PDB file of all heavy atoms in Angstrom:
ATOM      1  N   LEU A   1     114.205 102.127 121.968  1.00 97.00           N
ATOM      2  CA  LEU A   1     115.094 102.069 120.782  1.00 97.00           C
ATOM      3  C   LEU A   1     114.250 102.100 119.500  1.00 97.00           C
ATOM      4  O   LEU A   1     114.486 102.869 118.553  1.00 97.00           O
ATOM      5  CB  LEU A   1     115.938 100.875 120.848  1.00 97.00           C
ATOM      6  CG  LEU A   1     116.869 100.544 119.578  1.00 97.00           C
ATOM      7  CD1 LEU A   1     117.842 101.751 119.458  1.00 97.00           C
ATOM      8  CD2 LEU A   1     117.626  99.262 119.786  1.00 97.00           C
ATOM      9  N   PHE A   2     113.127 101.284 119.476  1.00 98.00           N
ATOM     10  CA  PHE A   2     112.382 101.112 118.228  1.00 98.00           C
ATOM     11  C   PHE A   2     111.560 102.378 117.853  1.00 98.00           C
ATOM     12  O   PHE A   2     111.233 102.671 116.734  1.00 98.00           O
ATOM     13  CB  PHE A   2     111.397  99.951 118.479  1.00 98.00           C
ATOM     14  CG  PHE A   2     112.071  98.598 118.236  1.00 98.00           C
ATOM     15  CD1 PHE A   2     111.741  97.591 119.162  1.00 98.00           C
ATOM     16  CD2 PHE A   2     113.063  98.328 117.306  1.00 98.00           C
ATOM     17  CE1 PHE A   2     112.359  96.365 119.045  1.00 98.00           C
ATOM     18  CE2 PHE A   2     113.690  97.088 117.214  1.00 98.00           C
ATOM     19  CZ  PHE A   2     113.313  96.169 118.072  1.00 98.00           C
ATOM     20  N   ARG A   3     111.224 103.168 118.922  1.00 97.00           N
ATOM     21  CA  ARG A   3     110.482 104.417 118.663  1.00 97.00           C
ATOM     22  C   ARG A   3     111.342 105.481 117.899  1.00 97.00           C
ATOM     23  O   ARG A   3     110.868 106.463 117.445  1.00 97.00           O
ATOM     24  CB  ARG A   3     110.023 105.045 119.930  1.00 97.00           C
ATOM     25  CG  ARG A   3     108.811 104.344 120.558  1.00 97.00           C
ATOM     26  CD  ARG A   3     108.072 105.152 121.633  1.00 97.00           C
ATOM     27  NE  ARG A   3     108.946 105.289 122.794  1.00 97.00           N
ATOM     28  CZ  ARG A   3     108.959 104.451 123.874  1.00 97.00           C
ATOM     29  NH1 ARG A   3     108.184 103.416 123.861  1.00 97.00           N
ATOM     30  NH2 ARG A   3     109.808 104.757 124.916  1.00 97.00           N
ATOM     31  N   GLY A   4     112.650 105.162 117.731  1.00 97.00           N
ATOM     32  CA  GLY A   4     113.529 106.162 117.195  1.00 97.00           C
ATOM     33  C   GLY A   4     113.620 106.202 115.639  1.00 97.00           C
ATOM     34  O   GLY A   4     114.344 106.969 115.057  1.00 97.00           O
ATOM     35  N   ALA A   5     112.965 105.185 114.945  1.00 98.00           N
ATOM     36  CA  ALA A   5     113.065 105.184 113.468  1.00 98.00           C
ATOM     37  C   ALA A   5     111.739 104.546 112.923  1.00 98.00           C
ATOM     38  O   ALA A   5     111.026 103.882 113.674  1.00 98.00           O
ATOM     39  CB  ALA A   5     114.222 104.308 113.070  1.00 98.00           C
ATOM     40  N   PRO A   6     111.521 104.725 111.680  1.00 98.00           N
ATOM     41  CA  PRO A   6     110.270 104.221 110.996  1.00 98.00           C
ATOM     42  C   PRO A   6     110.356 102.615 111.070  1.00 98.00           C
ATOM     43  O   PRO A   6     111.396 101.982 111.116  1.00 98.00           O
ATOM     44  CB  PRO A   6     110.279 104.711 109.617  1.00 98.00           C
ATOM     45  CG  PRO A   6     111.218 105.905 109.660  1.00 98.00           C
ATOM     46  CD  PRO A   6     112.233 105.597 110.721  1.00 98.00           C
ATOM     47  N   ALA A   7     109.106 102.048 110.987  1.00 98.00           N
ATOM     48  CA  ALA A   7     109.055 100.555 111.009  1.00 98.00           C
ATOM     49  C   ALA A   7     109.747  99.966 109.814  1.00 98.00           C
ATOM     50  O   ALA A   7     110.373  98.925 109.972  1.00 98.00           O
ATOM     51  CB  ALA A   7     107.566 100.186 110.959  1.00 98.00           C
ATOM     52  N   ALA A   8     109.696 100.571 108.679  1.00 97.00           N
ATOM     53  CA  ALA A   8     110.453  99.996 107.436  1.00 97.00           C
ATOM     54  C   ALA A   8     111.875  99.835 107.681  1.00 97.00           C
ATOM     55  O   ALA A   8     112.419  98.854 107.156  1.00 97.00           O
ATOM     56  CB  ALA A   8     110.148 100.880 106.227  1.00 97.00           C
ATOM     57  N   GLU A   9     112.535 100.702 108.367  1.00 97.00           N
ATOM     58  CA  GLU A   9     113.918 100.640 108.667  1.00 97.00           C
ATOM     59  C   GLU A   9     114.244  99.403 109.529  1.00 97.00           C
ATOM     60  O   GLU A   9     115.094  98.648 109.182  1.00 97.00           O
ATOM     61  CB  GLU A   9     114.480 101.894 109.277  1.00 97.00           C
ATOM     62  CG  GLU A   9     115.930 101.739 109.624  1.00 97.00           C
ATOM     63  CD  GLU A   9     116.578 103.061 110.168  1.00 97.00           C
ATOM     64  OE1 GLU A   9     115.972 104.112 109.867  1.00 97.00           O
ATOM     65  OE2 GLU A   9     117.570 103.004 110.895  1.00 97.00           O
ATOM     66  N   TRP A  10     113.453  99.339 110.635  1.00 98.00           N
ATOM     67  CA  TRP A  10     113.606  98.144 111.519  1.00 98.00           C
ATOM     68  C   TRP A  10     113.387  96.839 110.814  1.00 98.00           C
ATOM     69  O   TRP A  10     114.128  95.858 110.959  1.00 98.00           O
ATOM     70  CB  TRP A  10     112.841  98.235 112.827  1.00 98.00           C
ATOM     71  CG  TRP A  10     113.055  99.515 113.606  1.00 98.00           C
ATOM     72  CD1 TRP A  10     112.248 100.425 113.933  1.00 98.00           C
ATOM     73  CD2 TRP A  10     114.351  99.845 114.143  1.00 98.00           C
ATOM     74  NE1 TRP A  10     112.890 101.414 114.745  1.00 98.00           N
ATOM     75  CE2 TRP A  10     114.194 101.028 114.857  1.00 98.00           C
ATOM     76  CE3 TRP A  10     115.655  99.313 114.209  1.00 98.00           C
ATOM     77  CZ2 TRP A  10     115.189 101.723 115.556  1.00 98.00           C
ATOM     78  CZ3 TRP A  10     116.679  99.915 114.823  1.00 98.00           C
ATOM     79  CH2 TRP A  10     116.424 101.146 115.588  1.00 98.00           C
ATOM     80  N   LEU A  11     112.215  96.745 110.063  1.00 98.00           N
ATOM     81  CA  LEU A  11     111.925  95.593 109.426  1.00 98.00           C
ATOM     82  C   LEU A  11     112.942  95.112 108.390  1.00 98.00           C
ATOM     83  O   LEU A  11     113.199  93.942 108.189  1.00 98.00           O
ATOM     84  CB  LEU A  11     110.518  95.687 108.752  1.00 98.00           C
ATOM     85  CG  LEU A  11     109.330  95.804 109.777  1.00 98.00           C
ATOM     86  CD1 LEU A  11     108.055  96.274 108.995  1.00 98.00           C
ATOM     87  CD2 LEU A  11     109.087  94.602 110.541  1.00 98.00           C
ATOM     88  N   GLY A  12     113.414  96.136 107.603  1.00 98.00           N
ATOM     89  CA  GLY A  12     114.508  95.818 106.643  1.00 98.00           C
ATOM     90  C   GLY A  12     115.717  95.245 107.285  1.00 98.00           C
ATOM     91  O   GLY A  12     116.303  94.284 106.802  1.00 98.00           O
ATOM     92  N   ARG A  13     116.176  95.845 108.376  1.00 98.00           N
ATOM     93  CA  ARG A  13     117.313  95.339 109.020  1.00 98.00           C
ATOM     94  C   ARG A  13     117.097  93.909 109.576  1.00 98.00           C
ATOM     95  O   ARG A  13     117.964  93.038 109.442  1.00 98.00           O
ATOM     96  CB  ARG A  13     117.705  96.187 110.204  1.00 98.00           C
ATOM     97  CG  ARG A  13     118.175  97.622 109.915  1.00 98.00           C
ATOM     98  CD  ARG A  13     118.655  98.228 111.234  1.00 98.00           C
ATOM     99  NE  ARG A  13     118.928  99.688 111.062  1.00 98.00           N
ATOM    100  CZ  ARG A  13     119.506 100.435 111.974  1.00 98.00           C
ATOM    101  NH1 ARG A  13     119.817  99.878 113.108  1.00 98.00           N
ATOM    102  NH2 ARG A  13     119.721 101.745 111.733  1.00 98.00           N
ATOM    103  N   MET A  14     115.971  93.645 110.190  1.00 98.00           N
ATOM    104  CA  MET A  14     115.724  92.355 110.803  1.00 98.00           C
ATOM    105  C   MET A  14     115.556  91.355 109.728  1.00 98.00           C
ATOM    106  O   MET A  14     116.023  90.196 109.924  1.00 98.00           O
ATOM    107  CB  MET A  14     114.501  92.440 111.768  1.00 98.00           C
ATOM    108  CG  MET A  14     114.761  93.120 113.070  1.00 98.00           C
ATOM    109  SD  MET A  14     113.387  93.108 114.210  1.00 98.00           S
ATOM    110  CE  MET A  14     112.390  94.425 113.535  1.00 98.00           C
ATOM    111  N   GLU A  15     114.797  91.653 108.639  1.00 97.00           N
ATOM    112  CA  GLU A  15     114.613  90.673 107.527  1.00 97.00           C
ATOM    113  C   GLU A  15     115.997  90.282 107.006  1.00 97.00           C
ATOM    114  O   GLU A  15     116.306  89.081 106.617  1.00 97.00           O
ATOM    115  CB  GLU A  15     113.708  91.230 106.499  1.00 97.00           C
ATOM    116  CG  GLU A  15     112.196  91.297 106.936  1.00 97.00           C
ATOM    117  CD  GLU A  15     111.327  92.133 106.018  1.00 97.00           C
ATOM    118  OE1 GLU A  15     111.912  92.592 105.013  1.00 97.00           O
ATOM    119  OE2 GLU A  15     110.172  92.131 106.347  1.00 97.00           O
ATOM    120  N   ALA A  16     116.866  91.194 106.864  1.00 97.00           N
ATOM    121  CA  ALA A  16     118.205  90.951 106.304  1.00 97.00           C
ATOM    122  C   ALA A  16     118.971  90.019 107.206  1.00 97.00           C
ATOM    123  O   ALA A  16     119.888  89.236 106.766  1.00 97.00           O
ATOM    124  CB  ALA A  16     118.957  92.264 106.088  1.00 97.00           C
ATOM    125  N   ALA A  17     118.700  90.110 108.503  1.00 97.00           N
ATOM    126  CA  ALA A  17     119.393  89.327 109.538  1.00 97.00           C
ATOM    127  C   ALA A  17     118.799  88.017 109.837  1.00 97.00           C
ATOM    128  O   ALA A  17     119.214  87.228 110.630  1.00 97.00           O
ATOM    129  CB  ALA A  17     119.537  90.137 110.815  1.00 97.00           C
ATOM    130  N   GLY A  18     117.584  87.743 109.114  1.00 97.00           N
ATOM    131  CA  GLY A  18     116.876  86.446 109.316  1.00 97.00           C
ATOM    132  C   GLY A  18     116.154  86.470 110.712  1.00 97.00           C
ATOM    133  O   GLY A  18     115.971  85.353 111.277  1.00 97.00           O
ATOM    134  N   VAL A  19     115.709  87.600 111.161  1.00 98.00           N
ATOM    135  CA  VAL A  19     114.879  87.664 112.367  1.00 98.00           C
ATOM    136  C   VAL A  19     113.399  87.802 112.060  1.00 98.00           C
ATOM    137  O   VAL A  19     112.985  88.644 111.345  1.00 98.00           O
ATOM    138  CB  VAL A  19     115.273  88.943 113.242  1.00 98.00           C
ATOM    139  CG1 VAL A  19     114.523  88.971 114.570  1.00 98.00           C
ATOM    140  CG2 VAL A  19     116.803  88.789 113.602  1.00 98.00           C
ATOM    141  N   PRO A  20     112.577  86.895 112.588  1.00 98.00           N
ATOM    142  CA  PRO A  20     111.164  86.956 112.277  1.00 98.00           C
ATOM    143  C   PRO A  20     110.506  88.208 112.723  1.00 98.00           C
ATOM    144  O   PRO A  20     110.659  88.625 113.850  1.00 98.00           O
ATOM    145  CB  PRO A  20     110.565  85.706 112.988  1.00 98.00           C
ATOM    146  CG  PRO A  20     111.735  84.805 113.211  1.00 98.00           C
ATOM    147  CD  PRO A  20     112.926  85.671 113.377  1.00 98.00           C
ATOM    148  N   CYS A  21     109.780  88.878 111.789  1.00 98.00           N
ATOM    149  CA  CYS A  21     109.191  90.138 112.066  1.00 98.00           C
ATOM    150  C   CYS A  21     108.138  90.429 111.049  1.00 98.00           C
ATOM    151  O   CYS A  21     108.097  89.783 110.012  1.00 98.00           O
ATOM    152  CB  CYS A  21     110.197  91.322 112.083  1.00 98.00           C
ATOM    153  SG  CYS A  21     111.056  91.437 110.447  1.00 98.00           S
ATOM    154  N   ALA A  22     107.234  91.412 111.322  1.00 98.00           N
ATOM    155  CA  ALA A  22     106.183  91.744 110.356  1.00 98.00           C
ATOM    156  C   ALA A  22     105.606  93.087 110.783  1.00 98.00           C
ATOM    157  O   ALA A  22     105.463  93.420 111.960  1.00 98.00           O
ATOM    158  CB  ALA A  22     105.112  90.669 110.275  1.00 98.00           C
ATOM    159  N   PRO A  23     105.142  93.881 109.786  1.00 97.00           N
ATOM    160  CA  PRO A  23     104.297  94.969 110.173  1.00 97.00           C
ATOM    161  C   PRO A  23     102.922  94.576 110.605  1.00 97.00           C
ATOM    162  O   PRO A  23     102.433  93.530 110.323  1.00 97.00           O
ATOM    163  CB  PRO A  23     104.211  95.772 108.836  1.00 97.00           C
ATOM    164  CG  PRO A  23     104.254  94.652 107.745  1.00 97.00           C
ATOM    165  CD  PRO A  23     105.248  93.710 108.355  1.00 97.00           C
ATOM    166  N   VAL A  24     102.324  95.425 111.431  1.00 98.00           N
ATOM    167  CA  VAL A  24     101.006  95.167 111.872  1.00 98.00           C
ATOM    168  C   VAL A  24     100.069  95.789 110.819  1.00 98.00           C
ATOM    169  O   VAL A  24      99.922  96.979 110.858  1.00 98.00           O
ATOM    170  CB  VAL A  24     100.651  95.747 113.318  1.00 98.00           C
ATOM    171  CG1 VAL A  24      99.211  95.596 113.677  1.00 98.00           C
ATOM    172  CG2 VAL A  24     101.604  95.061 114.375  1.00 98.00           C
ATOM    173  N   GLN A  25      99.526  94.945 109.960  1.00 97.00           N
ATOM    174  CA  GLN A  25      98.720  95.434 108.877  1.00 97.00           C
ATOM    175  C   GLN A  25      97.271  95.550 109.159  1.00 97.00           C
ATOM    176  O   GLN A  25      96.747  94.723 109.973  1.00 97.00           O
ATOM    177  CB  GLN A  25      98.933  94.637 107.557  1.00 97.00           C
ATOM    178  CG  GLN A  25     100.393  94.599 107.104  1.00 97.00           C
ATOM    179  CD  GLN A  25     100.521  93.896 105.704  1.00 97.00           C
ATOM    180  OE1 GLN A  25     101.278  94.365 104.912  1.00 97.00           O
ATOM    181  NE2 GLN A  25      99.829  92.865 105.457  1.00 97.00           N
ATOM    182  N   THR A  26      96.495  96.387 108.517  1.00 96.00           N
ATOM    183  CA  THR A  26      95.102  96.350 108.469  1.00 96.00           C
ATOM    184  C   THR A  26      94.564  95.156 107.613  1.00 96.00           C
ATOM    185  O   THR A  26      95.318  94.598 106.807  1.00 96.00           O
ATOM    186  CB  THR A  26      94.436  97.638 108.024  1.00 96.00           C
ATOM    187  OG1 THR A  26      94.765  97.704 106.617  1.00 96.00           O
ATOM    188  CG2 THR A  26      95.055  98.844 108.704  1.00 96.00           C
ATOM    189  N   VAL A  27      93.273  94.823 107.709  1.00 96.00           N
ATOM    190  CA  VAL A  27      92.721  93.745 106.956  1.00 96.00           C
ATOM    191  C   VAL A  27      92.868  94.165 105.377  1.00 96.00           C
ATOM    192  O   VAL A  27      93.225  93.351 104.625  1.00 96.00           O
ATOM    193  CB  VAL A  27      91.241  93.468 107.282  1.00 96.00           C
ATOM    194  CG1 VAL A  27      90.709  92.399 106.292  1.00 96.00           C
ATOM    195  CG2 VAL A  27      91.230  92.934 108.736  1.00 96.00           C
ATOM    196  N   GLY A  28      92.602  95.402 105.155  1.00 97.00           N
ATOM    197  CA  GLY A  28      92.707  95.849 103.785  1.00 97.00           C
ATOM    198  C   GLY A  28      94.153  95.764 103.295  1.00 97.00           C
ATOM    199  O   GLY A  28      94.365  95.349 102.043  1.00 97.00           O
ATOM    200  N   GLU A  29      95.142  96.071 104.026  1.00 97.00           N
ATOM    201  CA  GLU A  29      96.540  95.869 103.728  1.00 97.00           C
ATOM    202  C   GLU A  29      96.845  94.473 103.460  1.00 97.00           C
ATOM    203  O   GLU A  29      97.568  94.042 102.501  1.00 97.00           O
ATOM    204  CB  GLU A  29      97.415  96.486 104.720  1.00 97.00           C
ATOM    205  CG  GLU A  29      97.466  98.004 104.714  1.00 97.00           C
ATOM    206  CD  GLU A  29      98.229  98.641 105.940  1.00 97.00           C
ATOM    207  OE1 GLU A  29      98.283  97.973 107.021  1.00 97.00           O
ATOM    208  OE2 GLU A  29      98.954  99.595 105.674  1.00 97.00           O
ATOM    209  N   ALA A  30      96.321  93.558 104.303  1.00 97.00           N
ATOM    210  CA  ALA A  30      96.592  92.119 104.125  1.00 97.00           C
ATOM    211  C   ALA A  30      95.951  91.659 102.838  1.00 97.00           C
ATOM    212  O   ALA A  30      96.553  90.744 102.138  1.00 97.00           O
ATOM    213  CB  ALA A  30      96.020  91.419 105.310  1.00 97.00           C
ATOM    214  N   LEU A  31      94.846  92.177 102.433  1.00 97.00           N
ATOM    215  CA  LEU A  31      94.125  91.713 101.203  1.00 97.00           C
ATOM    216  C   LEU A  31      94.884  92.326  99.982  1.00 97.00           C
ATOM    217  O   LEU A  31      94.596  91.767  98.859  1.00 97.00           O
ATOM    218  CB  LEU A  31      92.692  92.185 101.199  1.00 97.00           C
ATOM    219  CG  LEU A  31      91.807  91.490 102.163  1.00 97.00           C
ATOM    220  CD1 LEU A  31      90.442  92.111 102.169  1.00 97.00           C
ATOM    221  CD2 LEU A  31      91.663  89.985 101.855  1.00 97.00           C
ATOM    222  N   ARG A  32      95.818  93.229 100.131  1.00 96.00           N
ATOM    223  CA  ARG A  32      96.669  93.634  99.030  1.00 96.00           C
ATOM    224  C   ARG A  32      98.074  93.125  99.115  1.00 96.00           C
ATOM    225  O   ARG A  32      98.978  93.481  98.360  1.00 96.00           O
ATOM    226  CB  ARG A  32      96.651  95.228  99.057  1.00 96.00           C
ATOM    227  CG  ARG A  32      95.335  95.886  98.793  1.00 96.00           C
ATOM    228  CD  ARG A  32      95.413  97.341  98.656  1.00 96.00           C
ATOM    229  NE  ARG A  32      95.867  97.983  99.816  1.00 96.00           N
ATOM    230  CZ  ARG A  32      95.120  98.538 100.807  1.00 96.00           C
ATOM    231  NH1 ARG A  32      93.750  98.359 100.737  1.00 96.00           N
ATOM    232  NH2 ARG A  32      95.563  99.120 101.850  1.00 96.00           N
ATOM    233  N   ASP A  33      98.369  92.187 100.084  1.00 97.00           N
ATOM    234  CA  ASP A  33      99.691  91.720 100.320  1.00 97.00           C
ATOM    235  C   ASP A  33     100.138  90.853  99.099  1.00 97.00           C
ATOM    236  O   ASP A  33      99.362  90.085  98.603  1.00 97.00           O
ATOM    237  CB  ASP A  33      99.688  90.908 101.591  1.00 97.00           C
ATOM    238  CG  ASP A  33     101.051  90.558 102.071  1.00 97.00           C
ATOM    239  OD1 ASP A  33     101.915  89.961 101.310  1.00 97.00           O
ATOM    240  OD2 ASP A  33     101.356  91.012 103.219  1.00 97.00           O
ATOM    241  N   PRO A  34     101.343  91.118  98.627  1.00 96.00           N
ATOM    242  CA  PRO A  34     101.842  90.401  97.469  1.00 96.00           C
ATOM    243  C   PRO A  34     101.743  88.871  97.665  1.00 96.00           C
ATOM    244  O   PRO A  34     101.610  88.108  96.705  1.00 96.00           O
ATOM    245  CB  PRO A  34     103.287  90.818  97.351  1.00 96.00           C
ATOM    246  CG  PRO A  34     103.281  92.216  97.900  1.00 96.00           C
ATOM    247  CD  PRO A  34     102.346  92.106  99.002  1.00 96.00           C
ATOM    248  N   VAL A  35     101.888  88.448  98.884  1.00 96.00           N
ATOM    249  CA  VAL A  35     101.869  87.006  99.120  1.00 96.00           C
ATOM    250  C   VAL A  35     100.499  86.439  98.776  1.00 96.00           C
ATOM    251  O   VAL A  35     100.393  85.313  98.122  1.00 96.00           O
ATOM    252  CB  VAL A  35     102.214  86.609 100.585  1.00 96.00           C
ATOM    253  CG1 VAL A  35     101.993  85.123 100.865  1.00 96.00           C
ATOM    254  CG2 VAL A  35     103.608  87.003 100.894  1.00 96.00           C
TER     255      VAL A  35
END
């Protein structure tokens, strides 16, 4: 099921539903994370 759409779509749906989730980021992406 998850292979059928981009990660942003799944993450958006799950975050809206209060389901813990996250993208698998590189170290560089983590160092640019807004948090």
Side-chain angles (χ1 to χ4, degrees):
L1 177 63
F2 287 138
R3 285 194 294 269
E9 178 174 335
W10 299 122
L11 293 170
R13 292 189 190 186
M14 286 186 281
E15 288 170 0
V19 177
C21 59
V24 177
Q25 298 192 140
T26 66
V27 174
E29 287 174 322
L31 290 172
R32 297 187 295 272
D33 196 299
V35 173

